[in-house]
Amino acid sequence: MYFPQFLVGMFGTSFIMAIWAGIQTGSIRTALAWAVLTLFVLQVGYFLLTLGLFYKRSTKSTDVKPEPVNPVQPLRRDGGVSSPGAQ
């Protein structure tokens, strides 16, 4: 998940939570407190998720050898305008 998408979802969720808490309690302070709590919980969850992904990536075995790169260039390009062999 990309961070900008996460931010939009996080603020949308906290906004919905604030509206719901405001309707249920009738208090703006309580609604703001629930919104801030929601933002905090989502941010901690996102941090733990990314930390887990980094940890998982770093513990993968690196014994797999990458495929060798073919040093031979193709004889003919795709025929695009910018290719030198285009006619």
Side-chain angles (χ1 to χ4, degrees), residues 73-80 82-86:
Q73 296 292 326
L75 296 175
R76 185 173 178 164
R77 290 189 161 190
D78 63 352
S82 63
S83 63

Side-chain angles (χ1 to χ4, degrees), residues 45-57:
Y46 185 78
F47 176 74
L48 292 176
L49 175 70
T50 54
L51 188 66
L53 289 174
F54 285 133
Y55 179 74
K56 182 178 176 182
R57 175 181 263 181

Side-chain angles (χ1 to χ4, degrees), residues 69-75:
V69 176
N70 188 0
V72 178
Q73 296 292 326
L75 296 175

